[in-house]
């Protein structure tokens, strides 16, 4: 496309902008959320140019702007009653509904799914343009792909001046984050992207809403996103971003401890004075999510005008607009998150005789608390009614009259039957993780001692998993001395356990024990854990 001067319209008369759209031009428009880059949704040539200018991948569908449900009926079919109810409550407003496409818009607008995203924007200028144009407008946010969405006309010009025909300057956008996207072609409806319309408000109209996993986590490299901005490091500045979730005072204290002078901080207003040596951008008061939504893109964008290489960001909770704000911050961070309210859990495993006890002692030396999973499980067998009832329902009366477990009876049932053993493990690992997390609450560092850490799925609770390994003959000598058994029996016990290769494949870290004694290995393990914990906190 040849470069040209973008015309900036500031008058109330929107007729020139309408004429440009009707001729196939690209015009940036204001909405209550962010500025959109609009074209006639029925004009394939114009839609193609939109993709080119925005540098948007072809498989990413576009949503369209409409005047209301009367226009939606021109473009969509089999519209469910929920759509009319939501439109009555929240249109015009920051809500995009995914409905069944009728095939009127250009095929380039869709991704082949047979659906169409529709939204009625709450801005008088754009509403006037839609009414005069008489057609739906394909209008993604007016930014190059993977850049923060613009809230002002000047920000749009910074991106596209000379590459689009015009921009209608409607002043700053009031909301600041894009619209919420709700898929109404599935049951229950599914939230594909949190935005300016809170999830709780939608649930008040349509009831249960499922949340797409891309909202709270990162998609796999080969997984196709179902909504704009839900796969890539969308909104990301050039510097590496780490997002802190949890209590504001705790996250601020964490950042203050870890930050280096000259680094970047995105924080709530109340904590800005804690970072005098940093480049700081305030989100707004901790309790004012509407203001945070208006500022979040500015905070991310402004760091690209600095030379900071790392940014720490405080994040609101997930209620109300917090879900959308947090999603934008987490996407910018590539989901590198630290939960200040949750302890850092390190899972330790490895074969008998490798030195796991000394490694756990080293973790305690560093201020950690150790949870022995086997000991916790056996205590729960005595004291947890729900676990006991679940085992009894599956295996019959395996508890003695005094309340203790008849281990021989249960063992006879499960150890000769793989299906029964799998059933027992499924029960145990349904009840054990919540109890471990309850005991870990309030701790900053927890070591999870579990022989079957990987096989049980307990590794999913851990920030990292450490396998303690040692040469086989060293393990044999330790087991013989510790348990008073023969060399042959010690070797038999080792042969029945997973190989070193299993641990190397499934654990994130390996701690090798080649020391002469437990004291030396404990010293080595302390050094190892200090280095590992530093690496984890700066991923």
């Amino acid at each position: 496309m040849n470069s040209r001067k973008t015309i900036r319209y500031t008058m109330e008369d929107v007729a020139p902008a309408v004429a440009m759209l009707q001729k196939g031009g690209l015009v940036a428009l204001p909405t209550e959320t962010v500025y959109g880059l609009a074209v006639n949704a029925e004009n394939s040539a114009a839609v193609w140019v939109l993709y080119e200018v925005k540098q948007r991948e072809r498989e990413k569908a576009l949503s369209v702007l409409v005047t209301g449900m009367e226009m939606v009926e021109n473009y969509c079919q089999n519209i469910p009653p929920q759509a009319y109810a939501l439109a009555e409550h929240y249109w015009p407003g920051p809500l995009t509904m995914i409905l069944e496409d009728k095939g009127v818009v250009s095929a380039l607008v869709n991704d082949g799914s047979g659906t169409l995203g529709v939204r009625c924007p709450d801005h008088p200028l754009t509403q006037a343009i839609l009414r005069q144009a008489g057609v739906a407008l394909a209008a993604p946010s007016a930014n190059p792909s993977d850049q923060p969405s613009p809230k002002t006309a000047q920000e749009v010009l910074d991106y596209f001046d000379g590459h689009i025909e015009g921009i209608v300057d409607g002043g700053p956008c009031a909301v600041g984050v894009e619209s919420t996207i709700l898929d109404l072609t599935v049951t229950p409806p599914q939230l594909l992207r949190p935005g300016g319309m809170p999830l709780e408000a939608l649930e008040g109209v349509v009831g249960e809403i499922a949340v797409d996993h891309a909202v709270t986590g990162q998609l796999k490299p080969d997984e196709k996103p179902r909504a704009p901005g839900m796969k890539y490091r969308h909104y990301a500045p050039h510097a590496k971003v780490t997002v802190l979730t949890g209590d504001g005072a705790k996250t601020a204290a964490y950042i203050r401890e870890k930050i280096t002078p000259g680094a970047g901080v995105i924080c709530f207003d109340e904590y800005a004075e804690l970072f005098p040596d940093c480049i700081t951008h305030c989100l707004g008061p901790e309790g004012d999510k509407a203001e945070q939504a208006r500022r979040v893109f500015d905070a991310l964008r402004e760091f690209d005008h600095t030379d900071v290489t790392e940014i720490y960001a405080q994040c609101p909770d997930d209620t109300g607009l917090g879900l959308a704000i947090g999603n934008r911050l987490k996407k910018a961070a590539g989901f590198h998150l630290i939960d200040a309210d949750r302890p850092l859990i390190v899972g330790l495993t490895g074969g008998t005789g490798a030195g796991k006890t000394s490694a756990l002692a080293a973790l305690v030396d560093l201020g950690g608390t150790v949870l022995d999973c086997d000991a916790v499980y056996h205590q729960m067998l005595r004291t947890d009614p729900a676990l006991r009832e679940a085992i009894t329902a599956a295996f019959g009366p395996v508890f003695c009259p005094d309340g203790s477990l008849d281990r021989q009876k249960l063992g006879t049932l499960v150890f000769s039957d793989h299906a029964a053993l799998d059933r027992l493990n499924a029960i145990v690992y349904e009840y054990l993780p919540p109890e471990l997390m309850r005991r870990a609450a309030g701790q900053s560092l927890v070591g999870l001692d579990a022989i079957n850490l990987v096989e049980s799925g307990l590794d999913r609770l851990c920030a990292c998993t450490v396998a303690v390994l040692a040469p086989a003959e060293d393990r044999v000598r330790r087991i013989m001395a510790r348990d008073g058994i023969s060399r042959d029996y010690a070797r038999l016990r080792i042969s029945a356990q997973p190989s070193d290769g299993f641990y190397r494949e499934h654990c994130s870290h390996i701690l090798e024990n080649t020391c002469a004694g437990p004291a030396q290995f404990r010293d080595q393990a302390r050094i190892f854990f200090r280095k590992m914990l530093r690496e984890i906190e700066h991923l």
Side-chain angles (χ1 to χ4, degrees):
M1 176 179 292
N2 293 327
S3 179
R4 60 222 182 237
K5 182 64 176 177
T6 297
I7 301 173
R8 185 169 182 166
Y9 297 106
T10 57
M11 73 287 287
E12 293 185 6
D13 182 8
V14 295
V18 172
M20 278 192 176
L21 289 165
Q22 291 173 334
K23 290 190 296 185
L26 276 67
V27 178
L29 305 174
T31 75
E32 76 280 23
T33 56
V34 297
Y35 273 74
L37 192 56
V39 296
N40 182 343
E42 299 178 22
N43 185 327
S44 293
V47 174
W48 182 269
V49 174
L50 171 60
Y51 274 106
E52 289 291 316
V53 170
K54 190 172 163 63
Q55 303 169 40
R56 186 182 178 95
E57 297 189 9
R58 296 294 186 274
E59 72 270 15
K60 295 172 70 175
L62 302 169
S63 60
V64 300
L65 301 182
V66 296
T67 55
M69 288 304 294
E70 72 287 347
M71 185 177 280
V72 170
E73 292 170 352
N74 296 333
Y75 294 96
C76 299
Q77 59 189 357
N78 300 322
I79 302 171
Q82 296 161 311
Y84 290 96
L86 287 167
E88 181 179 355
H89 280 81
Y90 298 125
W91 271 10
L95 170 64
T96 298
M97 294 187 283
I98 305 296
L99 302 172
E100 187 176 326
D101 181 32
K102 190 183 279 189
V104 177
V105 299
S106 165
L108 292 173
V109 170
N110 290 316
D111 59 357
S113 64
T115 62
L116 181 65
V118 292
R119 176 161 109 78
C120 178
D122 189 12
H123 197 288
L125 286 177
T126 298
Q127 279 287 327
I129 290 171
L130 283 165
R131 287 193 299 271
Q132 292 188 31
V135 296
L137 301 176
S141 56
N143 56 285
S145 292
D146 300 338
Q147 294 294 315
S149 300
K151 297 188 306 172
T152 67
Q154 185 57 52
E155 290 172 357
V156 177
L157 288 173
D158 289 344
Y159 286 139
F160 295 124
D161 191 10
H163 294 278
I164 61 176
E165 280 77 9
I167 179 169
V168 179
D169 189 345
C173 299
V175 176
V177 293
E178 303 98 330
S179 65
T180 299
I181 300 180
L182 184 68
D183 187 352
L184 292 174
T185 67
V186 295
T187 303
Q190 190 167 37
L191 180 73
L192 301 186
R193 182 181 73 188
M197 182 60 63
L199 173 63
E200 296 88 343
L202 303 179
E203 289 176 326
V205 175
V206 301
E208 179 189 0
I209 293 176
V211 178
D212 189 271
H213 67 283
V215 171
T216 55
Q218 194 152 17
L219 294 180
K220 298 176 182 178
D222 59 347
E223 193 172 359
K224 184 178 179 180
R226 298 185 60 213
M230 303 311 289
K231 181 175 182 179
Y232 309 100
R233 286 188 67 236
H234 207 45
Y235 328 112
H238 299 314
K240 180 183 69 175
V241 181
T242 299
V243 169
L244 281 296
T245 61
D247 175 76
K250 290 182 180 178
T251 58
Y254 182 97
I255 295 172
R256 182 178 172 84
E257 178 184 348
K258 302 298 180 184
I259 204 75
T260 56
V265 177
I266 298 173
C267 66
F268 304 124
D269 291 0
E270 295 89 332
Y271 306 107
E273 63 183 16
L274 296 178
F275 313 109
D277 299 325
C278 299
I279 299 175
T280 303
H281 289 285
C282 293
L283 274 179
E286 186 172 3
D288 190 346
K289 290 175 180 173
E291 184 62 23
Q292 294 164 26
R294 285 188 286 269
R295 295 188 191 181
V296 63
F297 285 138
D298 288 341
L300 291 168
R301 186 196 318 273
E302 288 304 313
F303 281 109
D304 281 343
H305 302 301
T306 72
D307 58 359
V308 301
T309 58
E310 63 175 354
I311 302 167
Y312 285 87
Q314 288 188 287
C315 184
D317 63 50
D318 284 344
T319 60
L321 284 174
L323 184 61
I325 301 161
N327 173 266
R328 284 12 176 221
L329 289 170
K330 293 168 187 177
K331 290 289 180 185
F335 281 91
H336 177 220
L337 314 177
I338 295 174
D339 186 347
D341 291 336
R342 176 174 173 163
L344 178 63
I345 300 179
V346 177
L348 274 86
T349 188
T352 182
K356 185 153 56 73
T357 300
S358 297
L360 289 164
L363 205 59
V364 173
D365 293 340
L366 299 178
T369 298
V370 172
L371 293 178
D372 184 327
C373 295
D374 192 53
V376 172
Y377 163 59
H378 286 101
Q379 184 179 7
M380 291 177 68
L381 286 174
R382 298 191 300 271
T383 61
D384 190 314
L387 174 61
R388 292 164 62 90
E389 289 172 10
I391 291 175
T392 300
F395 302 104
V398 294
F399 289 92
C400 302
D402 65 359
S404 62
L405 176 68
D406 188 333
R407 297 180 186 278
Q408 183 175 356
K409 185 174 184 179
L410 181 61
T412 301
L413 292 172
V414 303
F415 291 134
S416 60
D417 183 344
H418 288 299
L421 181 59
D422 289 342
R423 190 159 61 251
L424 175 62
N425 287 335
I427 293 171
V428 171
Y429 295 116
E430 176 184 355
Y431 288 91
L432 183 56
E435 177 62 16
L436 293 171
M437 293 306 299
R438 186 188 70 80
R439 298 187 183 207
Q443 307 296 323
S444 58
L445 176 62
V446 174
L448 213 58
D449 178 7
I451 294 176
N452 296 320
L453 180 74
V454 175
E455 301 93 321
S456 66
L458 289 175
D459 58 328
R460 291 192 291 270
L461 300 178
C462 305
C464 60
T465 51
V466 178
V468 181
L469 305 182
E473 286 306 307
D474 289 352
R475 293 172 61 193
V476 167
R477 287 193 295 272
R478 293 178 192 130
I479 296 170
M480 290 172 60
R482 183 188 68 198
D483 300 338
I485 59 176
S486 69
R487 182 178 299 275
D488 287 343
Y489 188 50
R491 287 174 173 164
L492 184 64
R493 285 178 60 181
I494 289 175
S495 68
Q497 295 177 346
S499 67
D500 286 2
F502 171 85
Y503 293 118
R504 292 184 188 279
E505 179 181 355
H506 291 95
C507 293
S508 63
H509 294 75
I510 302 297
L511 174 56
E512 302 270 8
N513 180 5
T514 57
C515 296
Q520 294 92 330
F521 182 53
R522 184 167 173 172
D523 290 340
Q524 176 190 331
R526 276 197 300 272
I527 297 170
F528 171 88
F529 284 129
R530 285 195 186 99
K531 180 181 178 182
M532 183 192 74
L533 294 173
R534 284 196 300 269
E535 291 174 350
I536 291 172
E537 291 174 349
H538 289 89
L539 283 178

